[in-house]
Amino acid sequence: MAELKVSGQHRSYQMGMHKETLAGRTYRTFFTAQETDRLAYSWSCDVDLEKRRVIDAQELTAQEVNRQIKDLMGKGFGHIVVQNPNAQHSLGTCILNRLKLEFEGSLGYFGVGLIDGPNVRIRGRVGWSCAENMMAGVVVVEKNAGSCFGAAIRGGDLVCLGDVGSRTGINMKGGTILVKGRTGMLSGFMMQRGRMIILGDADENLGDSMYDGVIYVGGEIKSLGIDAVLGEMTELEAQWLAAKLKRYGMEAPNGVEKLQKIVAGKQLWNYDNLEPTEKKIVL
């Protein structure tokens, strides 16, 4: 188990992530994970990323495909290729393990949701709610994605090399969503943390009711949602954006410095200072 290293000089302070002046207790703790640490679930499989196996899903149900993926991980296979996924729903879900997973085709609704750790490549399109509740790992979609892309994700990188539908990153709690093309309406709705990078245009009500987090847009914004306001780009942010985009072979249309930054106006922040037990006493 890694030792927690608490530091008041964490880089997130320089990036303006802790400017709120809320009173009371805090649960913020920072730690540094070392390569030698095994930060994994007790039931995780030891897999060899060089050990490859192909699954032909042409005649299989989604449940059968997912079962074969988990069985192969149990046998040490760390590189699994799924052919002919045929846009079935809920493929590649609930993988809490290191794994290189490739889909040679499109996925339906709820593809690769509830994952923690795998590196996924989808050579096609995805339907609604791709990678919802993703905890960690990388998911790259080579074509377009449906609505609710990255709903409620908490960590990792979720990348779409095409356009995405409405409500991208709804209730997002962490991680990074990168979209090379456009995004639909209400993207970033009730966003709580994390970063969203949209290199194309953004439809109406962007960032509506967002509590925290940052949205960067390279194209035109049709309209901002309630309590979403423009912010100022810092040099540290520009460096981070350039490095993140370069990792996935992407470039901001006019340079990262020209990206529009959207943050919460914090007018909707209505926190109750009383604890539940204190409320009972007062009421």
Side-chain angles (χ1 to χ4, degrees), residues 38-55:
R38 180 174 173 80
L39 302 176
Y41 297 97
S42 58
W43 60 83
S44 295
C45 306
D46 285 319
V47 298
D48 182 356
L49 297 179
E50 300 299 322
K51 196 174 180 181
R52 183 176 182 271
R53 179 62 64 89
V54 175
I55 298 174

Side-chain angles (χ1 to χ4, degrees), residues 9 19 61 65 81 92 104 116 119 132 145 177 182 193 216 221 238 254:
Q9 302 300 319
K19 292 182 178 179
T61 66
V65 173
V81 180
E104 295 185 347
D116 192 354
N119 189 316
E132 55 93 19
I177 296 177
R182 302 167 297 173
R193 281 198 184 277
Y216 304 95
I221 300 173
N254 299 305

